């Protein structure tokens, strides 16, 4: 392969042939430096890269902002679900573009990215949200290396998430004691809008979107099974829709015990009584062909071919309890009852109680809807370590009884 250097103006340039493409000879010529020696060194490096990779690597001139749009369109919107698309778009538009969008993608350095992450860490965001920001950066820059080949190396591989005290992260993983849960139920007793979602989450470990999406078709009180097969989510038009679960493994059947069965039987009867009591002012829900959920009360002469749905978690007048309305419940528990609380903590509490009392880890995984057993094991590492110690104690008692 031929190559050489030459001076043009005040700078030296290197060049070499790439061979013939479609019968035409191709040549690379790039600025090599201010001296002939620098240009010759740049030529040797370029030739080595070409020989090793089969092509000459030239970083893209695209900006970080434009690349993020490209990644959203060509990867995220093709492969991810609505909630993920919406979350990634918000992170990119509200955080990444304003701070580092003007940089050229090829020029962004680990130092710049680390400074960006550090600044976000000091702005009071939860650890979960910071993890999401870092995940967007890591995933997008990784794709920029391959398959898109805009840059040679992923600068995010050198960036670390700062240690940071994080209320939401801790609250998500708080174990609600039985005494605390009873105080919560005393504040939101049977008849309250939040009584049923609190009880369901405590007894099943369902996520808030899964819990609010439950319809009576999903509940078999005779067999004692709750079928989790969808979530509810709010889209850009500010309306609620049915959506698919977080993962395919999240689609699951959860066996329930007598306590929750009795609670649900009583609640179902309460709903029927309320329909009679509210009469034409009771809310009825339908779902259209696009999975949009909408309500119609009896004051309207409404005819439709859309399917009517009967939600489990409803208010007294039949109104739907949503993840947004449950935030009010969380605020009351935090600031009135002074209990550190997040609805997700009920999921963590449910799993913790099972594991601490000897439940099979594989069964807990299925019950929570984790796609991998490793996820369950990693989340509850502190419990598995305790189980390991208990196992040793059992062996000691068996083999070395006092």
């Amino acid at each position: 392969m031929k190559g050489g250097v030459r001076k043009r103006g005040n700078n030296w340039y290197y060049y070499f042939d790439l061979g013939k493409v479609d019968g035409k000879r191709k040549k690379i010529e790039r600025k090599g430096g201010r001296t002939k020696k620098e240009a010759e060194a740049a030529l040797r490096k370029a030739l080595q890269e070409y020989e090793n990779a089969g092509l000459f690597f030239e970083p893209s001139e695209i900006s970080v902002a434009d690349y993020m749009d490209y990644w959203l369109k060509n990867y995220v919107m093709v492969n991810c679900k609505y909630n993920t698309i919406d979350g990634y778009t918000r992170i990119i538009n509200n955080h990444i573009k304003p701070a580092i969008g003007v940089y050229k993608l090829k020029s962004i350095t680990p130092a710049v990215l680390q400074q960006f992450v550090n600044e976000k860490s000091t702005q009071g965001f939860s650890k979960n949200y910071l993890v999401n920001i870092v995940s967007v950066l890591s995933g997008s820059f990784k794709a920029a290396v391959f398959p898109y080949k805009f840059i040679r190396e992923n600068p995010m591989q050198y960036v670390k998430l700062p240690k940071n005290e994080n209320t939401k992260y801790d609250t998500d993983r708080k174990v609600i004691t039985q005494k605390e849960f009873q105080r919560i139920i005393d504040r939101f007793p049977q008849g309250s809008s939040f009584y049923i979602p609190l009880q369901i989450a405590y007894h099943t470990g369902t996520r808030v979107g899964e819990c609010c999406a439950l319809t009576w078709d999903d509940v078999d009180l005779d067999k004692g099974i709750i079928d989790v097969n969808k979530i509810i989510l709010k889209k850009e038009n500010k309306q609620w829709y049915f959506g698919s679960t977080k993962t395919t493994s999240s689609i699951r059947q959860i066996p329930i015990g007598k306590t929750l069965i009795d609670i649900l039987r009583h609640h179902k009867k309460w709903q029927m009584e309320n329909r009679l009591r509210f009469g034409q002012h009771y809310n009825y829900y339908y779902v259209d062909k696009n999975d949009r959920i909408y309500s119609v009360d009896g004051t309207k002469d409404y005819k439709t071919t859309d399917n009517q749905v009967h939600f489990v978690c409803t208010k007294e007048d039949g109104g739907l309890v949503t993840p947004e309305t449950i935030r009010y419940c969380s605020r009351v528990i935090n600031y009135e009852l002074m209990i550190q609380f997040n609805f997700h903590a009920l999921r963590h509490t449910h799993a913790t109680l099972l594991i601490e009392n000897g439940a099979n880890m594989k069964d807990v995984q299925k019950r929570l809807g984790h796609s991998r057993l490793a996820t369950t094991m990693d989340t509850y590492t502190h419990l598995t370590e305790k189980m390991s110690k208990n196992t040793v104690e059992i062996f000691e008692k068996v083999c070395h009884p006092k």
Side-chain angles (χ1 to χ4, degrees):
M1 182 177 295
K2 295 181 179 180
V5 297
R6 65 177 178 174
K7 188 175 183 181
R8 289 170 52 190
N10 295 325
N11 296 303
W12 280 81
Y13 289 74
Y14 66 86
Y15 59 88
F16 63 90
D17 291 332
L18 296 177
K20 290 184 178 181
V21 178
D22 296 328
K24 297 180 180 179
R25 184 169 294 280
K26 298 290 183 179
K27 184 173 74 171
I28 282 288
E29 184 170 10
R30 296 287 182 270
K31 180 179 175 181
R34 303 282 292 184
T35 67
K36 182 178 180 181
K37 186 175 181 180
E38 289 176 350
E40 288 173 340
L43 172 64
R44 287 193 296 272
K45 183 178 180 182
L47 287 172
Q48 185 180 21
E49 287 182 351
Y50 180 86
E51 294 294 343
N52 290 338
L55 53 85
F56 179 75
F57 184 89
E58 182 179 4
S60 171
E61 296 294 320
I62 192 172
S63 69
V64 170
D66 287 343
Y67 170 68
M68 287 296 167
D69 290 338
Y70 178 91
W71 180 68
L72 274 175
K73 179 180 179 181
N74 290 280
Y75 175 78
V76 178
M77 293 184 180
V78 174
N79 296 286
C80 300
K81 296 181 180 178
Y82 180 85
N83 275 353
T84 303
I85 295 171
D86 184 58
Y88 283 8
T89 302
R90 289 174 185 273
I91 287 173
I92 288 170
N93 290 336
N94 296 338
H95 300 286
I96 296 175
K97 281 186 178 181
I100 59 175
V102 296
Y103 285 88
K104 285 187 178 180
L105 184 65
K106 69 177 184 180
S107 303
I108 203 80
T109 65
V112 170
L113 293 169
Q114 185 68 68
Q115 182 180 356
F116 167 74
V117 172
N118 290 349
E119 289 175 354
K120 291 300 172 185
S121 179
T122 62
Q123 292 173 9
F125 294 106
S126 70
K127 185 173 182 179
N128 278 358
Y129 197 68
L130 288 172
V131 167
N132 289 340
I133 292 175
V134 171
S135 295
V136 169
L137 287 168
S138 297
S140 58
F141 279 106
K142 182 178 180 181
V145 177
F146 186 84
Y148 303 134
K149 297 182 180 179
F150 287 133
I151 53 176
R152 183 187 295 118
E153 186 179 39
N154 179 3
M156 278 301 295
Q157 64 183 306
Y158 305 107
V159 177
K160 304 298 180 184
L161 187 66
K163 291 183 179 180
N164 124 301
E165 292 298 325
N166 192 318
T167 303
K168 184 180 184 301
Y169 184 81
D170 293 338
T171 305
D172 281 352
R173 281 155 178 76
K174 174 181 168 58
V175 176
I176 304 298
T177 67
Q178 290 182 322
K179 185 176 180 180
E180 287 174 330
F181 185 69
Q182 188 57 54
R183 286 182 60 207
I184 293 170
I185 293 302
D186 290 341
R187 175 61 178 81
F188 299 107
Q190 199 282 324
S192 159
S193 302
F194 307 115
Y195 175 75
I196 289 300
L198 288 167
Q199 291 283 13
I200 290 174
Y202 184 74
H203 286 90
T204 65
T206 48
R207 302 175 179 94
V208 64
E210 298 170 343
C211 185
C212 293
L214 288 175
T215 61
W216 285 111
D217 291 340
D218 302 323
V219 181
D220 190 328
L221 294 175
D222 293 326
K223 293 182 179 179
I225 292 175
I226 287 180
D227 188 2
V228 177
N229 52 63
K230 58 187 176 299
I231 63 169
I232 64 168
L233 67 157
K234 179 175 278 190
K235 294 194 175 181
E236 292 175 356
N237 57 6
K238 306 302 181 183
Q239 296 190 53
W240 291 98
Y241 287 75
F242 281 129
S244 55
T245 55
K246 187 175 182 180
T247 64
T248 54
S249 300
S250 297
I251 300 173
R252 62 203 187 276
Q253 290 188 330
I254 304 176
I256 58 176
K258 183 178 183 302
T259 302
L260 185 57
I261 290 174
D262 290 344
I263 289 171
L264 291 173
R265 284 190 192 280
H266 190 274
H267 176 63
K268 195 171 187 179
K269 180 183 177 183
W270 179 77
Q271 283 183 329
M272 294 173 65
E273 293 170 349
N274 284 337
R275 288 193 193 101
L276 295 174
R277 185 158 60 91
F278 279 85
Q280 63 179 354
H281 299 288
Y282 194 81
N283 288 283
Y284 295 90
Y285 283 87
Y286 296 84
V287 58
D288 66 19
K289 62 181 181 180
N290 296 316
D291 289 327
R292 180 178 64 91
I293 302 164
Y294 64 95
S295 66
V296 178
D297 64 31
T299 61
K300 300 180 181 68
D301 184 16
Y302 187 74
K303 294 181 180 180
T304 179
T305 57
D306 292 336
N307 292 327
Q308 187 174 4
V309 289
H310 302 284
F311 285 99
V312 175
C313 299
T314 60
K315 302 174 184 177
E316 194 175 11
D317 64 354
L320 178 61
V321 176
T322 69
E324 283 190 351
T325 55
I326 283 179
R327 289 177 190 167
Y328 167 77
C329 169
S330 297
R331 287 197 295 270
V332 172
I333 294 171
N334 276 284
Y335 300 115
E336 182 180 316
L337 302 183
M338 301 301 289
I339 297 172
Q340 188 183 21
F341 180 83
N342 183 300
F343 195 84
H344 197 85
L346 295 175
R347 176 174 168 85
H348 189 71
T349 299
H350 180 76
T352 299
L353 290 174
L354 289 175
I355 296 170
E356 282 187 337
N357 288 280
N360 182 278
M361 190 65 75
K362 189 71 176 175
D363 290 337
V364 175
Q365 175 206 351
K366 292 180 179 178
R367 196 169 180 86
L368 296 179
H370 287 158
S371 57
R372 297 166 57 246
L373 180 60
T375 303
T376 313
M377 299 286 285
D378 290 344
T379 305
Y380 299 97
T381 300
H382 60 294
L383 296 179
T384 56
E385 290 173 351
K386 179 180 178 181
M387 290 168 65
S388 297
K389 292 179 180 178
N390 290 342
T391 302
V392 173
E393 291 175 3
I394 291 171
F395 183 83
E396 287 291 320
K397 289 179 182 179
V398 172
C399 296
H400 306 286
K402 293 182 179 178

